[in-house]
Amino acid sequence: MGSGKNGTFDLKPDFKQWALLAAWKDEQSFESFRKSSFISLWWRKFCTESYTILCSPISSHGNWDNQNPFANFENVQYQGPVAVLTRATIRLNRLKNFWQNVDRVASIMTRAKGYITSFGIGEAPFFRQATFSIWESLDDVKAFAYRSAEHREVIQKTRDENWYSEELFARFKPLATFGTLNGKDPLAGKI
């Protein structure tokens, strides 16, 4: 998938950064991919930097292309860093409404307590967007999502104005990281 600039999705894509989001049956399948897949070999040959976060889903609801790839989640009490995926297909007649609110919410997110980093990703420019963000704790995620007035207002607009034809929200427990992002591992010493 393509990536936006500055850790969020953007009307101007970052052509130097790309994303792969995959759901694996087990860790062995991931290791096989990482060690010998064409994509991994390609990345090692042509990329100047690569960062991988291996996660286990702890909650998920909604759909991505009419299915929930993270339906088999742990549903456990978890304390520690949490990764969050929010993904939506934006209705074409609601694109203007959506894009008018992106910058404001993104700037609030990056200043929120417990925010570590984020990536704006999407498989189709402008209308199939996702944010993958990493936080110090689930409490920090909830504080940003539900207690910041600006974000609550945007959530309400998405419902009242029916912005999305499909949406998915998933939370993950980070298990391991490989590589660096901008020269460092944002989760170093945290998992």
Side-chain angles (χ1 to χ4, degrees):
M1 292 183 276
S3 293
K5 294 186 179 199
N6 303 315
T8 186
F9 32 82
D10 196 306
L11 289 171
K12 296 176 184 171
D14 184 346
F15 291 111
K16 294 180 181 179
Q17 184 173 339
W18 297 89
L20 171 69
L21 177 68
W24 306 102
K25 291 180 184 177
D26 52 42
E27 198 168 340
Q28 291 170 322
S29 299
F30 163 72
E31 285 297 335
S32 176
F33 170 84
R34 185 167 80 108
K35 290 178 182 172
S36 60
S37 73
F38 172 78
I39 293 171
S40 290
L41 296 172
W42 180 270
W43 286 339
R44 283 194 290 275
K45 185 167 180 76
F46 293 104
C47 292
T48 57
E49 187 175 43
S50 174
Y51 186 63
T52 299
I53 305 171
L54 188 59
C55 299
S56 178
I58 55 177
S59 69
S60 181
H61 68 276
N63 287 308
W64 187 321
D65 287 338
N66 297 314
Q67 61 182 334
N68 186 337
F70 314 110
N72 296 324
F73 54 84
E74 293 179 26
N75 199 15
V76 296
Q77 294 296 329
Y78 168 67
Q79 299 294 318
V82 64
V84 178
L85 174 70
T86 59
R87 190 268 185 186
T89 300
I90 307 152
R91 295 179 190 280
L92 295 179
N93 64 346
R94 296 292 178 231
L95 283 171
K96 181 179 177 186
N97 306 57
F98 173 84
W99 284 105
Q100 286 176 333
N101 289 275
V102 166
D103 290 340
R104 184 169 53 121
V105 172
S107 71
I108 294 164
M109 179 179 68
T110 60
R111 294 188 318 264
K113 178 186 176 296
Y115 169 85
I116 297 174
T117 193
S118 61
F119 315 94
I121 56 177
E123 72 268 34
F126 310 118
F127 70 95
R128 298 185 98 184
Q129 298 291 331
T131 299
F132 186 85
S133 57
I134 305 170
W135 300 79
E136 294 283 347
S137 72
L138 191 52
D139 288 340
D140 292 329
V141 172
K142 290 177 180 178
F144 165 71
Y146 306 117
R147 291 194 285 275
S148 75
E150 297 89 350
H151 192 258
R152 272 196 334 265
E153 177 186 325
V154 171
I155 290 172
Q156 191 61 47
K157 283 182 182 182
T158 67
R159 303 292 179 249
D160 293 346
E161 299 175 13
N162 198 23
W163 288 2
Y164 307 138
S165 61
E166 181 179 65
E167 57 191 338
L168 174 91
F169 302 96
R171 295 175 180 158
F172 304 88
K173 174 183 176 180
L175 302 173
T177 60
F178 309 92
T180 59
L181 177 68
N182 298 320
K184 64 179 185 173
D185 178 353
L187 283 169
K190 298 180 186 298
I191 55 173

